[in-house]
Amino acid sequence: MLSKIAPNTEVIFTLNSDKFSKKLKIANFIKYNFEIYKIEKLSEQTTFNYINEFFKRNNKIIENETISYIVNNLPNDMQVISNELNKFINIPENEITLKIVAENLNKYFDVDIFELSNHFINNDLTGFLNKFKDFSIINNDLTGFLSLLNTNLSFTRNLIILKNQGVSDQEIAKKLNTTPYRIKMTLKFIKADINNLNDKIILLYNLNKKMMQGKSDNKIIPEYEFLKVMKG
């Protein structure tokens, strides 16, 4: 397949070790006949950098805000990400704008769960209830939702702590393995109290534990607990 590969084709290999063995014939063939980009474990920064490099290689202009939109609206799966990015290669426009991406990107989340998460963090009861109702109608994956909430809560708490300690945005980005853009947007839109964030993190842990033990349903009890902790 590699010896007869079509032009402008990207091949993604998943390795079961940290090393690309040079002893293998196929490894040497790849080394001398292809341009290789090593993609590390998919952190948010890794994905951001990969998308940025992808558009540079294809002579497309894209803003950081648009890249972050792609990262936040696609599953953490390199095959899915590559498939979606390839849509934009033949678009005649030289600049891939946020509008173009929003119109062409597949909808992997029917509800903007990042917006829903922000409502929860900011104690916006009305916004949270409206979005959570829509989410509950079309999704049964409450465990995944709890995981997302916990990730965003922990990130926000750690960001606020580091910011209060006077750490620079660039250093925070390194410590939290994220992008300066996400730090900027989080500080712009998130208004949170450390103690309330910690209460929510504990709540999510207990909710997940109860669900795994069969002591909680997937809607009534979680919704009640969400509202209780948001009201303080």
Side-chain angles (χ1 to χ4, degrees):
M1 185 273 286
L2 290 174
S3 64
K4 299 178 181 178
I5 197 165
N8 302 318
T9 300
E10 292 185 357
V11 179
I12 298 174
F13 286 93
T14 302
L15 303 183
N16 293 322
S17 67
D18 294 332
K19 295 182 179 180
F20 190 62
S21 175
K22 297 179 181 179
K23 296 179 180 179
L24 299 175
K25 183 178 179 180
I26 190 172
N28 281 312
F29 183 84
I30 291 172
K31 179 181 177 181
Y32 291 109
N33 291 279
F34 295 89
E35 188 173 4
I36 300 172
Y37 294 90
K38 183 180 178 183
I39 302 170
E40 304 292 347
K41 185 177 180 181
L42 286 182
S43 66
E44 182 177 312
Q45 184 66 63
T46 303
T47 307
F48 185 97
N49 292 342
Y50 172 76
I51 295 172
N52 190 36
E53 288 298 320
F54 174 88
F55 284 109
K56 282 184 179 179
R57 293 199 309 271
N58 288 283
N59 299 314
K60 298 288 187 180
I61 299 170
I62 188 167
E63 296 290 335
N64 287 348
E65 179 184 4
T66 307
I67 297 176
S68 291
Y69 178 89
I70 296 173
V71 173
N72 289 336
N73 284 276
L74 290 181
N76 191 25
D77 183 303
M78 184 51 67
Q79 187 64 57
V80 171
I81 293 170
S82 295
N83 288 342
E84 290 297 324
L85 295 184
N86 282 321
K87 293 179 181 179
F88 301 103
I89 294 177
N90 296 318
I91 288 179
E93 288 82 355
N94 187 43
E95 180 176 1
I96 305 301
T97 64
L98 183 59
K99 183 175 184 292
I100 290 174
V101 170
E103 290 175 349
N104 289 276
L105 209 65
N106 274 348
K107 305 300 181 185
Y108 289 88
F109 304 113
D110 295 299
V111 173
D112 188 338
I113 50 180
F114 292 93
E115 182 182 353
L116 176 55
S117 174
N118 287 343
H119 287 316
F120 182 63
I121 292 172
N122 286 330
N123 294 323
D124 179 2
L125 285 171
T126 301
F128 178 80
L129 285 175
N130 289 336
K131 291 289 184 181
F132 186 68
K133 180 181 179 182
D134 293 340
F135 175 85
S136 299
I137 291 172
I138 56 181
N139 291 279
N140 289 319
D141 185 21
L142 186 61
T143 301
F145 177 61
L146 293 179
S147 176
L148 171 72
L149 282 182
N150 187 60
T151 298
N152 284 354
L153 283 164
S154 299
F155 172 83
T156 303
R157 179 195 59 188
N158 295 339
L159 169 58
I160 292 173
I161 290 173
L162 291 170
K163 197 68 179 175
N164 289 341
Q165 292 175 348
V167 182
S168 70
D169 288 0
Q170 291 293 332
E171 189 63 27
I172 292 174
K174 291 180 182 178
K175 288 179 178 293
L176 300 184
N177 198 23
T178 188
T179 63
Y181 177 79
R182 185 181 179 190
I183 291 173
K184 176 183 175 182
M185 298 308 291
T186 300
L187 292 173
K188 181 178 180 179
F189 292 109
I190 297 296
K191 300 175 182 178
D193 173 78
I194 293 292
N195 292 329
N196 188 243
L197 288 174
N198 284 331
D199 289 343
K200 288 173 180 173
I201 291 171
I202 293 171
L203 165 69
L204 295 179
Y205 170 80
N206 290 331
L207 264 180
N208 190 57
K209 183 178 179 180
K210 287 178 181 178
M211 289 176 60
M212 292 179 66
Q213 294 174 342
K215 297 179 180 179
S216 173
D217 65 356
N218 283 349
K219 188 175 188 304
I220 307 280
I221 293 177
E223 187 171 327
Y224 170 75
E225 295 291 347
F226 290 151
L227 296 180
K228 188 168 68 172
V229 77
M230 289 172 73
K231 288 180 178 179

